[in-house]
Amino acid sequence: MRAWGVLSLILALALAPLAEARRSPNDAAHLRDEAFEAAQWAMTSEAAEALARMSARFAQGDDAIAALAEEREALIARRDRLERQTEQVNQLEGPDRDQRRAEAATDYGRVLARLREIDAEIDTRFPAYGELTSPRALDVARTQALLNEDEGLLLVLVNRDAAYVWAVTREQVAWARAADLGEAEVTRVVARLRESLTAEASRGQPYIDPSQIQAGRGFDLFEAHRLYDRLIRPVEPALAGKTTLITVTTGALSTLPLSVLITEPPTAPDTSAAALAASPWLIDRYALASLPAVSSLEALRCHLAAPGRRHPGCGGGADGSARTATREPGPTLAAFGAPTLAGRVEPATRGSPGTDTVFTEEGGLADVERLRRLPALPGSRDELGALSARFPDALIRMGDAATERAVRFEDREALSRARYVVFSTHGLLAGEAAGLGEPGLVLTPPQEAGPTDDGYLAASEAAQLELSADFVVLSACNTAASDGRPGGQGLSGLARAFFYAGARSMLVSHWAVSDRATSRLITETFEAMDDGDFGGHARALQHAMREVRSNRAWAHPAYWAAFTLVGEAA
């Protein structure tokens, strides 16, 4: 969005309360609707762009555009990697610095030149694709048409001075301004809440179960209620009678699952298991799902919908995507996890330090010995065993069979046809050192690392999979973001990669999750879907969170609230 557009948005939002007081109701509604669209332009994310590109590819229904789009995505990933490597090279000292800088510049120039060629070819041969590839703002009427009867949509834009909130249902629209929740304050509050939710944040150690959270680091019920009170309560009358809430948020707020917000004022700072179990959480009021952009609603329900499931609000046009329409029968579920690892089994989380602890060379392969030393995950094995019993036709790869080669090559065809896909393992965050690894998932390390299998499924490799899954579960740590920090852009990294690969909805985590509690959460989610709520992903997750919380030892939201459903709610 051009700078003047952002400025116009900020002015419109800042002046909106005065304008509403002076204008007629019709004028106020018009301003509210214009601001709703303008806010979307200011909130476009990488994950939303990935969904838009995938929906455009499917809408075209052409293998040629699919090949160009995949090459373009790979080139963009390489361009970004070269930019990070160039930054690192520029900081080096020594006689080979100039040569390495020249080599990086040459590679970078080749990538940009090929990107220009692809863009020109797409513009010439597939002009409609270019119109679809960039997320666009949906107006209020279009958004209302794409919502189901039981759904509401919550849009929250946080800028430097305040937070602006819209609630949209098929029947109503409401908005509010929280003057005390500008960007700095929201970042502070989210950091405070995440500090009491993340094992690493409270102890600084990589393999501490959330039960080890220090005394004095109890969950801040007052701040959790304040966010609800200032952001949701003012617009909640418009959500009356709705049971599912779809949320679109920005910045720090996108790194906090809204399920942890408290809907009633706490009477005391009591964070005992009994007090937490009795607290009224937002997840009790609504089944929650999130989207990277409001426009993702159109991408998912119109362009990526399976045959016969295109939303009535889409209007005319072909029903379903090219890939889903031609999908051959496959396993109901494909799952990979519980890799063979030599690390000591202990109260573990499904995560580890950043990728720079297992990558030692720019753009190189993972160190298989370092991967092998990660702790084994018995909860992951139990989880996949339960899924295997529930889905007799499932493709399950555990232990020695859970390899990167199986995912990318041997089982690629079956994986592409599965309705549900699960990865249950360790998730790694992008390391701090430029060029040393992408976020990804740990699989069973081979004896020797090679280009087809180094025991690590990186985000760029995941993006090259061809999925037609309704539901992808990344049952690992920190799979919702590339860096896991409260200030970063949410839903990037792995989530973006799997969206591009073809996922319609995903279950991703925001912090280091308990191995045992997560096993129960994922199992209960699929049980709820299988027991008459088939396809109701948000409702199934809501049920699973309640079941996990019913164990008093897991009453703390560190156990049950880490996962967010991103994408299609039903």
Side-chain angles (χ1 to χ4, degrees):
M1 183 181 181
R2 291 186 292 268
W4 63 263
V6 176
L7 179 59
S8 298
L9 163 66
I10 294 172
L11 289 174
L13 293 173
L15 295 174
L18 290 176
E20 290 203 60
R22 295 173 182 170
R23 295 172 181 255
S24 69
N26 286 340
D27 288 337
H30 180 70
L31 176 62
R32 174 203 64 202
D33 294 354
E34 280 191 343
F36 177 76
E37 291 182 55
Q40 294 173 60
W41 288 115
M43 295 171 66
T44 299
S45 69
E46 292 177 350
E49 291 170 354
L51 259 177
R53 287 196 295 273
M54 178 56 67
S55 67
R57 208 169 91 191
F58 282 1
Q60 288 284 316
D62 190 303
D63 289 342
I65 187 63
L68 286 171
E70 287 179 359
E71 183 182 358
R72 188 177 189 276
E73 183 72 9
L75 286 167
I76 289 171
R78 178 160 176 74
R79 179 200 64 191
D80 294 345
R81 187 162 57 250
L82 284 169
E83 287 175 351
R84 294 192 299 269
Q85 291 176 4
T86 299
E87 180 182 353
Q88 187 178 46
V89 168
N90 287 337
Q91 297 172 1
L92 295 177
E93 298 291 341
D96 63 340
R97 182 187 63 178
D98 291 343
Q99 179 180 348
R100 294 181 63 182
R101 183 185 296 171
E103 290 172 352
T106 300
D107 288 346
Y108 189 71
R110 290 195 186 110
V111 169
L112 291 185
R114 180 55 184 155
L115 273 173
R116 286 193 293 269
E117 290 175 0
I118 289 177
D119 287 341
E121 185 173 358
I122 288 174
D123 288 343
T124 301
R125 296 176 58 193
F126 309 98
Y129 180 85
E131 297 175 6
L132 291 167
T133 48
S134 298
R136 64 183 183 88
L138 298 188
D139 60 29
V140 167
R142 178 67 168 161
T143 303
Q144 289 178 310
L146 289 168
L147 290 171
N148 294 326
E149 186 67 34
D150 62 346
E151 293 175 339
L153 182 138
L154 185 81
L155 174 69
V156 184
L157 169 66
V158 180
N159 71 12
R160 185 181 61 184
D161 302 316
Y164 301 90
V165 187
W166 289 260
V168 182
T169 66
R170 288 174 63 172
E171 304 83 13
Q172 297 188 63
V173 183
W175 74 334
R177 178 177 185 267
D180 59 336
L181 287 178
E183 186 175 8
E185 179 63 6
V186 168
T187 300
R188 184 196 69 78
V189 173
V190 170
R192 172 70 185 98
L193 292 173
R194 280 186 57 107
E195 196 174 58
S196 62
L197 290 167
T198 309
E200 283 102 329
S202 56
R203 291 293 295 268
Q205 300 179 30
Y207 303 117
I208 300 296
D209 192 277
S211 63
Q212 304 290 324
I213 291 174
Q214 287 179 316
R217 294 277 190 175
F219 186 73
D220 195 325
L221 298 172
F222 292 95
E223 292 283 36
H225 176 258
R226 180 185 170 210
L227 285 182
Y228 163 80
D229 184 64
R230 303 297 293 126
L231 296 177
I232 300 177
R233 186 189 57 77
V235 298
E236 202 160 21
L239 302 172
K242 306 305 177 185
T243 57
T244 298
L245 186 60
I246 300 168
T247 65
V248 181
T249 59
T250 58
L253 204 58
S254 67
T255 69
L256 182 76
L258 299 190
S259 55
V260 303
L261 302 190
I262 299 290
T263 58
E264 298 293 338
T267 57
D270 184 359
T271 56
S272 65
L276 291 171
S279 295
W281 306 96
L282 188 67
I283 192 64
D284 296 325
R285 187 168 292 182
Y286 306 103
L288 295 171
S290 68
L291 290 176
V294 177
S295 61
S296 302
L297 198 64
E298 184 175 59
L300 290 165
R301 294 187 169 177
C302 298
H303 301 310
L304 294 176
R309 294 174 59 187
R310 198 165 185 266
H311 196 277
C314 296
D319 187 357
S321 74
R323 178 178 294 170
T324 344
T326 59
R327 181 177 66 184
E328 297 179 4
T332 303
L333 179 141
F336 302 82
T340 300
L341 301 171
R344 185 182 67 180
V345 176
E346 53 185 292
T349 59
R350 296 184 185 181
S352 71
T355 55
D356 45 6
T357 64
V358 296
F359 285 83
T360 57
E361 179 184 347
E362 295 175 35
L365 302 173
D367 186 318
V368 293
E369 292 305 319
R370 295 186 182 188
L371 285 178
R372 213 182 315 277
R373 288 197 291 268
L374 295 174
L377 295 170
S380 176
R381 180 169 289 275
D382 293 345
E383 176 185 321
L384 296 183
L387 292 177
S388 178
R390 181 155 292 278
F391 299 100
D393 70 334
L395 169 71
I396 306 287
R397 299 293 188 233
M398 291 190 289
D400 292 348
T403 66
E404 182 186 359
R405 182 184 297 276
V407 173
R408 296 176 59 196
F409 302 102
E410 295 166 1
D411 294 323
R412 184 183 182 93
E413 184 177 352
L415 181 62
S416 72
R417 300 197 307 266
R419 182 173 186 181
Y420 304 131
V421 172
V422 175
F423 286 89
S424 181
T425 182
H426 288 292
L428 273 64
L429 295 172
E432 294 182 1
L436 291 187
E438 310 167 53
L441 300 168
V442 174
L443 294 162
T444 296
Q447 289 300 311
E448 184 176 342
T452 61
D453 188 354
D454 63 351
Y456 187 71
L457 184 69
S460 62
E461 294 167 336
Q464 296 171 31
L465 299 174
E466 294 184 357
L467 305 179
S468 56
D470 288 342
F471 193 34
V472 173
V473 177
L474 302 185
S475 184
C477 292
N478 292 301
T479 52
S482 58
D483 60 9
R485 291 188 289 264
Q489 180 182 180
L491 304 180
S492 54
L494 274 173
R496 175 176 174 265
F498 277 94
F499 270 136
Y500 187 79
R504 295 184 68 247
S505 65
M506 299 181 62
L507 202 60
V508 292
S509 63
H510 288 273
W511 55 76
V513 297
S514 162
D515 183 36
R516 290 295 186 183
T518 298
S519 176
R520 175 75 182 278
L521 182 82
I522 302 305
T523 302
E524 290 289 346
T525 298
F526 277 99
E527 285 184 359
M529 289 167 55
D530 200 35
D531 293 341
D533 200 14
F534 208 60
H537 308 142
R539 294 186 298 273
L541 178 60
Q542 181 187 44
H543 162 82
M545 287 181 174
R546 287 171 176 162
E547 289 299 309
V548 172
R549 284 163 44 203
S550 68
N551 181 339
R552 189 59 62 87
W554 292 339
H556 196 288
Y559 288 101
W560 56 263
F563 284 88
T564 294
L565 175 67
V566 186
E568 183 59 87

